[in-house]
Amino acid sequence: MIMRHDANQDRSKPVEKTYALPPPHLSSKTLHIAGILTTVFGLDELAPDTTETACLWLLHPRLQTQACMQPYAASTISNWNERIRQDRAGLTQPPKGLIAVSFDQRNHGTREVDTLANEAWRAGNPRHALDMFSQIHGTAADTSILLDYLAAYFFPERDGVKVTQNLVFGVSLGGHAAWQVLLREPRMTTGIIGIGCPDYKSLMMDRARLSKLADWDSSDPSSFLGSMSFPRTLVAAVDKHDPAGLIMGQLERTSTGSYLHELSENEEEKVSKVLDHTLRNKRILLLSGAADKLVPYRCGQPFLNFLKKATSTYYEHGGLVLEDLVFDGVGHEISPNMVEELIRFVDESLGADVQDSGSISGEPRSSSKI
């Protein structure tokens, strides 16, 4: 996919070229839950003796709808069902099933209220930073609400099926939201972040620079935070809900995201408490394109370096598994090889070859796969 530096740049469709062939057929059922049309995939494919199932939550990109996530549901569920079919003879109890869930994010698809609010600065939306972050936060909140009620709607108690494991996969806007879902939702134990960013301030500052906003001052980049384009109340919300804002918000750092000093014992204790509350024993896979200009990997890299250092030193007991994959030659898109990694990570997270102890990759793994 070719990214252009023009007003139409943000209309890219990062999932458009993922699949060369139609995905496998998969059953789906849509119900109204808490005012949200919620689609569940894979119910008919569950084995008759299924007593527990995992659920993969699918969060779509900006300017698209839940429909574009169906191929990911089909690929992951078909792969898992084939795996348990092959292994079933050696099992002593019914295997865990897998379903997937998608829904339109706020102000998208069936929930659209204001078309301009989904656009970026270059497309004429002066509230781009505020609109997008509030949608990200809202999607994370919606996921928790749906988690509360999903089983009651799709698995009434008399059916004897329980959702015992939850995973989330988000792309672009959905990837940003998936980070927040992991932070706020203890029932979500696995996250796959597709071309998403854990540092909203850094991402928006980079976008403001490229958009040549009047509020952007190259001689004083930090002045952008608190401007009309990024109000102080938004800064407070980001510090409360964004991964970098929440985990690193109280620590002193330069405008480039690096630290002026090694963390004190008091700072390490503060960070450890936040990590305990948000990411302890969770599994995270990051899928990024090295050539991504819309959500550049470098915008989240200072936070990721900080997180890797924390979990390999003073927070190494936290059991966090983090894989950081950067694909050479890939832009703002989900490539077929990224899907292969998604399927592998879902399989491992459902119980195959998963170790009890956490592991952290010290450096992002580059891949020449496209």
Side-chain angles (χ1 to χ4, degrees), residues 227-246:
S227 68
M228 287 292 292
S229 298
F230 206 106
R232 293 191 181 281
T233 48
L234 176 57
V235 173
V238 171
D239 286 342
K240 184 177 180 180
H241 301 292
D242 187 59
L246 177 63

Side-chain angles (χ1 to χ4, degrees), residues 16-331:
E16 190 173 52
K17 298 181 180 179
T18 302
Y19 293 91
L21 298 174
H25 172 75
L26 186 70
S27 65
S28 64
K29 184 177 182 180
T30 301
L31 290 180
H32 161 275
I33 304 177
I36 303 172
L37 289 176
T38 308
T39 301
V40 176
F41 299 97
L43 289 174
D44 292 349
E45 287 78 10
L46 290 174
D49 58 348
T50 299
T51 58
E52 64 174 298
T53 183
C55 183
L56 176 62
W57 296 77
L58 302 169
L59 308 180
H60 66 77
R62 184 164 62 94
L63 298 172
Q64 296 189 251
T65 71
Q66 63 163 307
C68 74
M69 301 302 286
Q70 189 274 345
Y72 301 110
S75 296
T76 52
I77 291 175
S78 297
N79 181 81
W80 178 250
N81 286 345
E82 176 60 22
R83 180 162 191 159
I84 61 177
R85 186 190 66 79
Q86 294 176 0
D87 295 343
R88 192 173 180 88
L91 299 176
T92 59
Q93 57 186 10
K96 180 187 297 182
L98 176 62
I99 59 173
V101 174
S102 67
F103 59 95
D104 287 334
Q105 294 189 45
R106 296 192 180 196
N107 202 42
H108 283 75
T110 57
R111 306 173 71 188
E112 185 175 291
V113 177
D114 182 352
T115 301
L116 182 61
N118 290 335
E119 298 289 354
W121 286 309
R122 287 184 169 182
N125 179 16
R127 291 188 293 269
H128 172 48
L130 183 57
D131 285 338
M132 190 162 78
F133 193 79
S134 60
Q135 289 174 11
I136 292 167
H137 183 197
T139 295
D142 287 342
T143 302
S144 290
I145 292 171
L146 293 175
L147 254 167
D148 287 339
Y149 297 102
L150 182 80
Y153 276 85
F154 288 94
F155 297 114
E157 234 176 86
R158 63 180 180 273
D159 288 344
V161 179
K162 295 182 178 180
V163 178
T164 58
Q165 187 176 0
N166 288 282
L167 312 86
V168 61
F169 171 52
V171 178
S172 194
L173 176 70
H176 309 328
W179 267 113
Q180 286 201 27
V181 171
L182 281 172
L183 290 176
R184 66 173 285 140
E185 182 49 70
R187 292 170 291 182
M188 196 68 66
T189 57
T190 298
I192 301 97
I193 314 296
I195 52 179
C197 183
D199 190 337
Y200 192 73
K201 289 179 185 176
S202 177
L203 178 64
M204 289 294 101
M205 290 173 72
D206 185 69
R207 196 168 291 182
R209 175 182 62 83
L210 294 173
S211 299
K212 299 179 180 180
L213 290 188
D215 288 334
W216 176 258
D217 182 355
S218 58
S219 65
D220 185 14
S222 62
S223 66
F224 175 72
L225 302 176
S227 68
M228 287 292 292
S229 298
F230 206 106
R232 293 191 181 281
T233 48
L234 176 57
V235 173
V238 171
D239 286 342
K240 184 177 180 180
H241 301 292
D242 187 59
L246 177 63
I247 297 172
M248 301 195 306
Q250 304 305 312
L251 305 178
E252 187 176 1
R253 59 175 177 163
T254 69
S255 60
T256 61
S258 61
Y259 286 84
L260 300 178
H261 59 273
E262 291 295 320
L263 270 61
S264 65
E265 290 187 8
N266 183 51
E267 287 174 319
E268 289 181 354
E269 184 178 349
K270 287 182 178 179
V271 172
S272 294
K273 286 182 178 179
V274 175
L275 291 175
D276 264 342
H277 182 67
T278 57
L279 296 178
R280 185 178 182 85
N281 292 325
K282 296 197 176 185
R283 293 172 51 81
I284 305 174
L285 171 65
L286 309 178
L287 302 171
S288 304
D292 191 341
K293 296 178 181 178
L294 188 60
V295 183
Y297 177 80
R298 57 179 164 75
C299 288
Q301 194 167 14
F303 168 75
L304 296 176
N305 290 342
F306 173 85
L307 186 60
K308 291 170 187 177
K309 183 175 182 180
T311 48
S312 62
T313 54
Y314 59 89
Y315 193 68
E316 59 184 346
H317 62 282
L320 174 64
V321 174
L322 175 64
E323 289 191 34
D324 185 9
L325 305 185
V326 181
F327 290 75
D328 292 339
V330 175

